[in-house]
């Protein structure tokens, strides 16, 4: 709905998180775990079962000394050397990097975690939490869980980190935030007095900058819960988070001596204060007249995180405008998001029109494949339009499914599989026709086939065979249905090419062999009633092939298919 | 050229209204009444509306408006000046005037979009909620009196001689099990196959309401005794009022719903009975059920019969927002303290009150923030993910709320989303020092309704129709509406939530407008398909079979029409599913009729297409797996409107059942297995055809149905109730 862009809900979301009590719950476990941490230990983790609920909390802490050491290294490890996280890579973002500190610590506990993960499965609600670098490890562990969250009935984990440093680059940010569900599985609590969350993005930290530029290498992902002594607010858009983290850094630097000693920041007090302010109005008052609700919301957010400093010149805070812009861009990006059901009925109309085209072509004794290939009349040109809108729709659909987390993907696939399969069977022959129309083009399946057809076909296979239908009913209706193998015509075209070769005297064993394979393939399709009877129409390419082939092999040659064709049994195939 | 005239019309009306309010305001100002300022503000805001109308002029041919335009400019100038002078007269702070002037300036002279800032009237409560103040006060005192009833008496009837009202009230209960039947929130789904509360559901979505189990049980215990008294009062042509204070409030609510559901029957059995709608007034009532109650009451246009009075800090209306486990011991103590019949003197429960207050506020905060995220169109999933770790109360407000600020104003609010936000935000503290005092007040205020409402007539009433343009800042322009919001303790954050609630309501209305505009397209499509059906019939073919064969261009065109209509209806159903249309939508007679006509003419084509493409082979029978929402929903609309049992209006699925039977009876040896089904179907068909709900084209010689039917055993056919329709 269009009210989406009118409001900024950061404060409300933050308030929900605080009043849910989950922050206190998580932090209590962390502080309990700190007391158990041995002097010699680098990292410690523990599972806590919640009484009277099907929820467990997995907490991580890292020894303060080790933390100090590790935070001085800002190196990133490229994804090529992180086989464990390869599942995050997609076609679009093929590489990313993760901070060495986080990876080093994660490796220490990887074996234990893996066996733990296998033991609990995905059927219980899990909060993964950690403080400082412990939070980084918690994030990495949550990422691993997301990998396997594909079976139905699994619960989404929630990762809550306290004062964790940024752990990845733009690649990681994109890999996670292109997926709406993944991004909101991470909640990073960051206090304005804590240096660590913005350590790697601080303009005062020369190592965190890319060479020759002012842009930091590290990028945030997930939802940030930013808190100050005035209150708290949440931010989701990664651009806005970066802006605010940098602004916080500048704000603090203005007020504090730059070389202050680093210490582990205690979030217990922060959480306690936030909880106690629920019943208070707080400072959420506007001092000026603002009419735009979104702008007012942003001003409140900045107040809550202590950044609503008035400029000396009396101008309004430039951060407000920046955040407004971020929010606008973020919302419109969301809005542009693909909604498959929106256009579905329109596409069904296109399919109906194509079906009609198929029917008309049939009455012309050609079949729609050849009708389209020859483009003899006006109606063939119309088809190009439907075909284009259908192809765009399904290409986008397949791309969207590819970007989805696996769990949604699975259910999504089943829902759209029927339409997708129908589309593929109807439209791919037209693509094949276009492909072979260009002279000399060969081997569609290897060189010409669009990725989305391959995916659609693969999904159908993975979904398992449809209910085994009786061959009788199949036969009854075969005239109305489409050829099951959408690449059937590519096979025909290849066979035509082979015949051409033979006719030109390029007699070769492999050519003959291929033709025999084709024969067998066709016969099998016929037996299964998997091809449409249209292929036997007088003007079809298949019949063209048959004429060629019949000449080449001569009358003495005998096979199942030649018998079938010669005896004109195909006339009863409908 | 009809539009310019409607604009003209609006202008004249507006000008009259503005003048009326200016006059009224002036009078009130002279008599020293503070509300005069509010009236004037209304005049001011109307001026802005006029300006808005003005700004739309650009759309129309200039010629016809030049003169009007000049005339109008002049009037606006005059009004503006007049308003300023009057505001001065009232000695309202200079700063406010400057602010208003600034706003006004911008509104009038900038070309940017103009928002209508507020429409707020100051009237008497009785006018706003159309109920006599006297009745409210009476109800309140009787509601309190009911608490003192002896144990066995379950209700109190108050009939004043000479008065036209009969007031029914109920005693509250003070044991915790009468509030929470169990953990966490004591809620229970209403029986989906009801003799009672059939209306408390979302029709298309087929979702029944959830109510508090303990209150429902008490209601059911009281109803049998009360029933005859109510019927008698109705026969005496009395105005029925149900009232209750505290936990008796929900009983009054459920009684009223029961009454409304049976109202038609009362009238039917005795046409001379009162047609006056009942009134339900509650005081400090806890919440009763989930959001579906509001949805259903609005759909039935019953919502405005329910008036709830809530003191700003009263804890009771909020208490069900917290789970039982979080507050059990404290609530027990507090209930003992509140119990008017408790004879032991109990000390003021300061500690328990504080604990209860903090717990309720924390939970109310979760509920309110979660709702606010939705209102503001938050797109991220965190708020949903959190729900697998915490449980939120399902209870939501409905009806009209009257909030008593404890000052001179009453705030009337009808938007249930906004009410929920106010329930939380109006109890927020402004400083820590207030804590213990407010906590104790949150308990004591529960018994302060009678004194609060004593001088009801003199109270100012702020009535919010337009939530989108609230003043967001709480320290600027603290007059009029701003002042009222301050008195209710609403911070900027709270106001933003209210704006969002208003915006959502508006958006729902916009969605409905969008859909209403599609009516012509639907009409066109339906006419085309009806024409198709007739043409097929002329050729002695049922249109079902014609489409299934799809031989001609006409069939193809019909199929495209079908898909175009599907697009429109699917969009409607999707909105209904997400509750993005006004709650009233499914109660509109016109849409129910359109839906039914659509279903009867188009669904057979969907079925034809389904079986033509053999979708039954990989998806399963149409009825089980293939039937789209657009038909399931519209069927439920009709069945609900006619009060007939679910599934009884399945005539549009006739062909799907035939196709299914065809497949199952390929081998006629199985006849005995399906005999019962065939018999019942034949009976239904006879009825449908006689009622013209199903066309008789199904009986054409070569129809799928007749061909199949003729294969049935002779013995069966000769005795069948539909054999008379079929030409043998």
């Amino acid at each position: 709905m269009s009210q989406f862009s009118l409001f900024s809900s950061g404060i409300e979301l933050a308030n929900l998180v605080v009043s849910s009590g989950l922050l206190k719950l998580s932090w209590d476990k962390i502080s309990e775990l700190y007391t158990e941490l041995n002097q010699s230990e680098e990292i410690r983790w523990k599972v806590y079962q919640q009484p009277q609920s099907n929820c467990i909390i997995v907490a991580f802490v890292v020894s303060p000394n080790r933390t100090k050491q590790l935070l001085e290294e800002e190196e990133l490890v490229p994804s090529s050397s992180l086989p464990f996280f390869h599942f995050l890579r997609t076609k679009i973002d093929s590489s990313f990097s993760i901070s060495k500190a986080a990876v080093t610590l994660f490796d220490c506990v990887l074996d234990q975690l893996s066996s733990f993960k296998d033991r609990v499965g995905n059927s219980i609600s899990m909060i993964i939490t950690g403080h400082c670098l412990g939070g980084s490890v918690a994030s990495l562990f949550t990422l691993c869980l997301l990998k396997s969250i594909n079976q139905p009935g699994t619960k989404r984990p929630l990762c809550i980190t306290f004062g964790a440093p940024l752990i990845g680059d733009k690649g990681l940010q994109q890999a996670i935030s292109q997926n709406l569900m993944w991004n909101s599985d991470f909640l990073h609590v960051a206090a304005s007095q804590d240096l660590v969350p913005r350590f790697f993005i601080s303009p005062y930290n020369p190592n965190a900058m890319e060479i020759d530029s002012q842009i930091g290498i590290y990028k945030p992902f997930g939802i940030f819960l930013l808190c100050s002594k005035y209150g708290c607010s949440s931010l989701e858009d990664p651009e806005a988070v970066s802006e605010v983290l940098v602004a916080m850094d500048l704000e603090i630097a203005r007020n504090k001596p730059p070389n202050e000693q680093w210490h582990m920041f205690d979030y217990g007090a922060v959480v306690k204060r936030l909880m106690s302010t629920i019943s208070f109005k707080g400072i959420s008052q506007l001092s000026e007249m603002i009419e735009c609700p979104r702008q007012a919301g942003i001003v409140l957010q900045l107040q809550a995180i202590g950044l609503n400093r008035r400029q000396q010149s009396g101008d309004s805070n430039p951060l407000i405008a920046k955040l407004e812009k971020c929010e606008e861009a973020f919302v419109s990006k969301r809005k542009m998001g693909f909604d498959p059901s929106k256009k579905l009925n329109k596409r069904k109309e296109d399919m109906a029109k194509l079906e009609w085209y198929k029917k008309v072509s049939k009455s012309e004794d050609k079949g729609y494949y050849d009708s389209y290939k020859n483009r003899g009349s006006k109606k063939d040109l119309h088809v190009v339009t439907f075909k284009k809108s259908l192809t765009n729709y399904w290409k986008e659909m397949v791309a969207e499914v590819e970007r989805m987390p696996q769990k949604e993907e699975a259910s999504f696939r089943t829902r759209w599989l029927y339409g997708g399969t129908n589309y593929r069977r109807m439209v791919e022959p037209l693509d094949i026709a276009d492909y072979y129309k260009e002279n000399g083009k060969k081997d569609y399946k290897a060189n010409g086939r669009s990725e989305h057809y391959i995916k659609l076909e693969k999904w159908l296979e993975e979904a398992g065979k449809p209910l085994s239908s009786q061959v009788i009913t199949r036969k009854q209706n075969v005239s109305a249905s489409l050829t099951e193998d959408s690449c059937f015509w590519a096979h025909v075209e290849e066979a035509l090419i082979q015949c051409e070769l033979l006719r030109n005297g390029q007699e070769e064993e492999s050519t003959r062999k291929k033709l025999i394979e084709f024969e067998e393939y066709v016969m099998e399709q016929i037996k299964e009633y998997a091809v449409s009877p249209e292929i036997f129409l007088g003007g079809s390419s298949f019949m063209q092939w048959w004429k060629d082939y019949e000449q080449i092999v001569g009358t003495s040659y005998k096979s199942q298919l030649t018998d079938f064709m010669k005896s004109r049994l195909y006339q009863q195939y409908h | 050229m009809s539009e310019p005239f409607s604009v003209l019309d609006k202008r004249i009306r507006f000008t009259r209204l503005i003048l009326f309010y200016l006059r009224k305001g002036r009078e009130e100002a002279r008599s020293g009444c503070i509300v005069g300022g509010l009236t004037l503000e209304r005049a001011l805001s109307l001026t802005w509306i006029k300006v808005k109308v003005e700004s739309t002029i650009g759309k129309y041919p200039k010629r016809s408006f030049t003169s009007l335009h000049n005339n109008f400019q002049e009037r606006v100038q005059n009004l503006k000046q007049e308003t300023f002078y009057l505001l001065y007269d009232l000695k309202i702070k200079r700063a406010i005037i400057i602010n208003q002037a600034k706003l006004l300036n911008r509104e009038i002279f900038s070309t940017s979009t103009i928002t209508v800032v507020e429409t707020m009237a100051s009237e008497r409560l009785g006018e706003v909620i159309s109920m006599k103040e006297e009745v409210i006060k009476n109800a309140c005192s009787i509601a309190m009196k009911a608490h003192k009833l002896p144990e066995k008496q379950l209700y109190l009837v108050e009939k004043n001689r000479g008065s036209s009202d009969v007031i029914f009230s109920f005693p509250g209960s003070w044991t915790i099990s009468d509030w929470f039947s169990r953990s966490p929130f004591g809620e229970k789904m209403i029986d989906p196959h009801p003799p009672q509360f059939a209306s408390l559901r979302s029709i298309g979505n087929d979702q029944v309401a959830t109510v508090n189990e303990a209150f429902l049980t008490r209601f059911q215990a009281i109803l049998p005794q009360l029933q005859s008294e109510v019927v008698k009062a109705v026969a005496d042509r009395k105005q029925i009022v149900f009232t209750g204070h505290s936990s008796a409030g929900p009983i009054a609510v459920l009684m009223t719903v029961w009454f409304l559901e049976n109202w038609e029957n009362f009238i039917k059995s005795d046409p001379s009975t009162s047609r006056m709608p009942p009134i339900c007034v509650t005081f400090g009532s806890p919440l009763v059920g989930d959001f579906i109650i509001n949805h259903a009451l609005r759909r039935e246009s019953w919502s405005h019969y329910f008036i709830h009075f809530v003191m700003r800090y009263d804890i009771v209306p909020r208490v069900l927002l917290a789970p039982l486990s979080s507050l059990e011991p404290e609530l027990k103590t507090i209930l003992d303290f509140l119990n008017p019949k408790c004879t032991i003197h109990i000390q003021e429960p300061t500690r328990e009150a504080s604990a209860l207050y903090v717990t309720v506020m924390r939970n109310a905060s979760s509920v309110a923030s979660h709702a606010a995220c939705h209102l503001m169109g938050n797109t991220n999933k965190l708020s949903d993910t959190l729900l697998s770790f915490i449980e939120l109360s399902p209870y939501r407000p409905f009806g009209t709320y009257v909030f008593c600020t404890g000052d001179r104003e009453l705030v009337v609010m009808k938007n249930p989303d906004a009410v929920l936000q106010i329930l939380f935000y109006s109890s927020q503290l402004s400083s820590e020092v207030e804590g213990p005092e407010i906590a104790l007040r949150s308990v004591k205020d529960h018994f302060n309704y009678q004194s609060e409402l004593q001088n009801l007539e003199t109270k100012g009433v702020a009535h919010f129709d337009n939530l989108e343009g609230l003043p967001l800042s709480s320290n600027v322009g603290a007059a009029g509406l701003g002042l009222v919001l301050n008195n209710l303790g609403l911070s900027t954050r709270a106001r933003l939530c209210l704006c969002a609630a208003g915006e959502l309501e508006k958006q729902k209305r916009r969605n409905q407008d969008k859909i209403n505009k599609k009516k012509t397209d639907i009409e066109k499509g339906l006419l085309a398909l009806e024409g198709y059906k007739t043409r097929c019939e002329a050729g002695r073919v049922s249109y079902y079979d014609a489409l299934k064969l799809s031989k001609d261009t006409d069939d193809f065109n019909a199929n495209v029409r079908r898909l175009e209509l599907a697009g429109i209806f699917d969009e409607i159903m999707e909105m209904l599913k997400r509750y993005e249309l006004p709650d009233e939508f499914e109660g509109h007679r016109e849409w129910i009729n359109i839906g039914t006509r659509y279903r009867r003419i188009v669904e057979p084509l969907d079925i034809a297409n389904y079986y033509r493409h053999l979708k039954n082979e990989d998806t399963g029978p149409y009825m089980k797996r293939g039937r789209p929402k657009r038909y399931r929903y519209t069927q439920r609309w009709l069945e609900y409107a006619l009060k007939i049992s679910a599934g009884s209006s399945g005539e549009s699925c006739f062909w799907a059942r035939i196709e299914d039977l065809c497949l199952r009876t390929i081998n006629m040896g199985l006849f005995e297995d399906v005999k019962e089904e065939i018999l019942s179907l034949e009976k239904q068909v006879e009825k449908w055809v006689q009622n013209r709900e199903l066309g008789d084209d199904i009986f054409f010689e070569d129809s799928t149905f007749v061909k199949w039917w003729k294969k049935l055993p002779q013995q069966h056919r000769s005795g069948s109730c539909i054999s008379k329709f079929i030409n043998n």
Side-chain angles (χ1 to χ4, degrees), chain A residues 463-527:
Chain A
K465 286 276 170 218
L467 301 164
S468 63
S469 46
Q470 295 156 307
V471 176
I472 312 168
T473 58
R474 183 60 67 85
K475 192 188 163 189
Q476 272 178 357
N477 289 292
V478 82
S479 59
S481 62
L482 290 155
T483 302
E484 276 180 20
D485 182 358
S486 57
C487 286
F488 175 82
W489 290 104
H491 290 286
V492 175
E493 292 287 354
E494 290 296 320
L496 274 166
I497 293 170
Q498 312 293 349
C499 286
E500 185 71 26
L501 287 176
L502 284 179
R503 264 213 306 264
N504 293 346
Q506 293 176 323
E507 170 89 47
E508 254 181 68
E509 197 51 33
S510 64
T511 317
R512 288 243 173 218
K513 210 178 132 208
K514 271 185 196 155
L515 280 165
I516 291 172
E517 272 171 21
F518 176 67
E519 259 189 60
E520 281 164 1
Y521 161 76
V522 173
M523 204 52 225
E524 200 181 311
Q525 301 288 311
I526 291 171
K527 274 188 204 155

Side-chain angles (χ1 to χ4, degrees), chain B residues 225-240:
Chain B
Q225 299 186 32
L226 188 75
Q227 215 160 344
S228 57
E229 291 249 23
V230 175
V231 172
K232 192 168 152 277
V234 174
D236 291 345
R237 319 195 66 169
K238 297 284 189 189
Q239 162 79 67
I240 310 282

Side-chain angles (χ1 to χ4, degrees), chain A residues 211-231:
Chain A
I211 303 159
D212 296 335
S213 91
Q214 282 301 300
I215 309 153
I217 307 166
Y218 283 87
K219 296 281 176 198
F221 65 86
I223 294 170
F224 274 72
L225 186 84
L226 301 156
C227 26
S228 74
K229 58 186 170 189
Y230 306 106

Side-chain angles (χ1 to χ4, degrees), chain A residues 344 347-348 350-352 354 368 385-398 416-431 444 449-457 459-460 482-486, chain B residues 613:
Chain A
L344 183 69
R347 297 294 80 83
K348 280 187 183 166
D350 289 336
M351 282 297 281
L354 266 180
Y368 80 115
T385 342
F386 319 141
K387 179 180 161 263
K388 204 168 155 194
S389 57
L390 275 166
T391 305
N392 285 343
Y393 176 82
W394 282 102
K395 269 189 178 161
E396 207 175 337
M397 171 83 91
V398 170
W416 301 100
L417 198 57
Y418 180 85
T421 306
N422 236 357
Y423 153 77
R424 177 170 58 83
R425 289 176 179 164
M426 179 69 97
V427 180
E428 191 169 6
L430 303 182
D431 271 332
Y444 167 82
R449 197 170 190 208
S450 162
E451 190 69 23
H452 76 291
Y453 289 129
I454 300 173
K455 284 271 150 58
L456 283 169
E457 188 169 354
W459 295 346
L460 182 69
L482 290 155
T483 302
E484 276 180 20
D485 182 358
S486 57
Chain B
H613 284 297

Side-chain angles (χ1 to χ4, degrees), chain A residues 160-198:
Chain A
I160 303 178
T161 73
F162 295 89
L166 301 181
I167 57 166
D169 65 351
K170 187 132 188 109
L172 186 70
Q173 181 196 68
Q174 278 174 352
I176 295 172
S177 50
Q178 66 175 326
N179 185 320
L180 239 130
M181 295 297 279
W182 285 10
N183 202 43
S184 39
D185 284 334
F186 296 90
L187 180 72
H188 305 295
V189 184
S192 62
Q193 304 98 306
D194 186 5
L195 293 175
V196 181
R198 46 177 201 274

